[in-house]
Amino acid sequence: MSQPESAVADAQAGGPATDSLADLARRHGLRRAIARPSLPSYVRQLWARRHFVLKYATSRNVSKYSDSALGQLWQLLTPLLNAGVYFLMFGVILDQQKDIPNYTAFLITGVFIFTFTQRTVTGGAKSISGNLSMIRALHFPRAALPLAYAVQELQQLAWSMGVLGIIVLLTGEEITTRWLLIPVALILQLVFNIGASLFMARIGAFARDMNQLLPFIMRTWLYASGVFFSIPARVDDLPESLGFIRYVLELNPAAAYIELMRDLLISDHSPPQWAWATAIFWAVFALVVGFWYFWRAEERYGRG
């Protein structure tokens, strides 16, 4: 008699009164159909699905603007239009440009880099709740979904960075050896985005109201990230009673990645001393904590 048949026979015979179903299954070598694998095994499974992640991200990019007349051009037009509105508000009406050299490059760099993080985290938060039919029909590591959303935004960023480079050159900047560090800064930001996306994916899977709160959270994060203003200049003017705001702004991961990119693209921009250290810390911390936090609920996604 096979082990499953033996377990059924024991259950039908009544078995010891103290045996729970879990004890009975364990005694006969049975396990749950959907169980969380060990962390190393989970990483191996995710690596084996790397081609799926890339194909899924690419197909989402292709289909995203398929119904619009301008198609993929919206990948570039959306951040450019946002930058134009912000320049009108902060550069012209509030006259921020008088205190910041090359404010056009300063602002557009901030908008493009923040948009990369904003879209990745927002997409990650909806990656599980928005794909329940796939999750319930197919067996695969669920982390593949927020990872695919991060890859999708990285593909869009490649086009945006090309436009950003042209705009920066048109504002009078020159190509320097510091541009060689642009991939390093983007990799650090991508690693942070993946970790934050995984973290928010678990929250979004079980706290459905998060989709309603996320736009307000992202808008607050936008205004606290120095996209429109210089954080070092602002924190120096803060009274001592508001000193905690200084640490909140300086430890903001989005602000760190924006400052790094401005330093690499704009010759007159000097990044704060905390920028590189903050960027590296948040990349490592977000990936480790976000991946672990997501993996802990692997068997719960798609249930209920």
Side-chain angles (χ1 to χ4, degrees):
M1 184 181 293
S2 66
Q3 284 185 340
E5 291 172 343
S6 175
V8 172
D10 282 359
Q12 291 175 343
T18 56
D19 277 1
S20 67
L21 290 177
D23 293 334
L24 185 64
R26 187 163 43 252
R27 181 150 50 87
H28 290 276
L30 304 181
R31 61 177 182 171
R32 288 176 296 172
I34 301 177
R36 184 180 71 238
S38 66
L39 192 56
S41 176
Y42 191 67
V43 173
R44 288 194 296 270
Q45 292 178 23
L46 197 57
W47 175 251
R49 305 309 197 281
R50 62 190 182 277
H51 300 297
F52 162 75
V53 171
L54 181 60
K55 290 292 185 181
Y56 184 61
T58 304
S59 64
R60 281 185 55 83
N61 257 334
V62 172
S63 62
K64 186 174 182 180
Y65 302 103
S66 59
D67 294 334
S68 61
L70 296 180
Q72 298 300 312
L73 282 176
W74 282 111
Q75 295 187 26
L76 306 177
L77 290 176
T78 300
L80 281 174
L81 290 173
N82 286 334
V85 173
Y86 295 143
F87 182 81
L88 176 64
M89 289 296 300
F90 293 91
V92 178
I93 297 177
L94 298 180
D95 203 20
Q96 289 284 330
Q97 57 184 329
K98 68 178 182 180
D99 301 319
I100 300 176
N102 198 351
Y103 186 72
T104 301
F106 178 94
L107 176 63
I108 295 179
T109 300
V111 171
F112 276 42
I113 296 303
F114 183 83
T115 299
F116 178 36
T117 292
Q118 180 187 40
R119 285 183 172 178
T120 305
V121 175
T122 301
K126 301 175 182 178
S127 60
I128 300 298
S129 60
N131 292 281
L132 290 178
S133 59
M134 181 191 300
I135 291 173
R136 290 167 179 166
L138 303 173
H139 178 67
F140 61 96
R142 310 313 189 196
L145 291 174
L147 273 176
Y149 279 69
V151 173
Q152 175 189 355
E153 296 305 330
L154 180 65
Q155 292 173 342
Q156 292 192 12
L157 180 71
W159 294 96
S160 298
M161 289 302 297
V163 174
L164 176 60
I166 294 173
I167 293 174
V168 168
L169 292 174
L170 291 176
T171 61
E173 301 293 337
E174 297 180 353
I175 298 176
T176 66
T177 55
R178 288 187 299 180
W179 284 40
L180 297 174
L181 291 176
I182 290 176
V184 177
L186 291 179
I187 289 173
L188 288 174
Q189 186 180 6
L190 174 63
V191 171
F192 167 78
N193 289 354
I194 292 173
S197 178
L198 288 166
F199 189 88
M200 292 302 300
R202 175 174 172 177
I203 295 177
F206 303 115
R208 301 302 171 84
D209 289 340
M210 179 54 64
N211 289 336
Q212 308 303 321
L213 292 173
L214 204 55
F216 300 99
I217 295 173
M218 287 299 165
R219 193 172 301 119
T220 303
W221 197 9
L222 170 70
Y223 291 127
S225 298
V227 173
F228 321 112
F229 61 90
S230 171
I231 289 180
R234 292 300 181 198
V235 297
D236 289 341
D237 298 332
L238 289 175
E240 293 184 4
S241 59
L242 297 177
F244 72 95
I245 295 181
R246 177 191 191 103
Y247 297 106
V248 171
L249 295 177
E250 291 183 348
L251 294 177
N252 180 350
Y257 299 118
I258 291 172
E259 290 294 335
L260 288 187
M261 193 57 62
R262 284 170 175 163
D263 174 52
L264 300 177
L265 294 175
I266 305 173
S267 58
D268 291 334
H269 182 77
S270 299
Q273 297 179 351
W274 44 263
W276 278 102
T278 303
I280 295 172
F281 167 79
W282 277 114
V284 176
F285 179 81
L287 182 63
V288 172
V289 174
F291 192 84
W292 176 85
Y293 182 68
F294 183 90
W295 164 77
R296 290 285 296 173
E298 173 69 14
E299 73 276 14
R300 297 170 53 199
Y301 299 124
R303 294 190 174 186

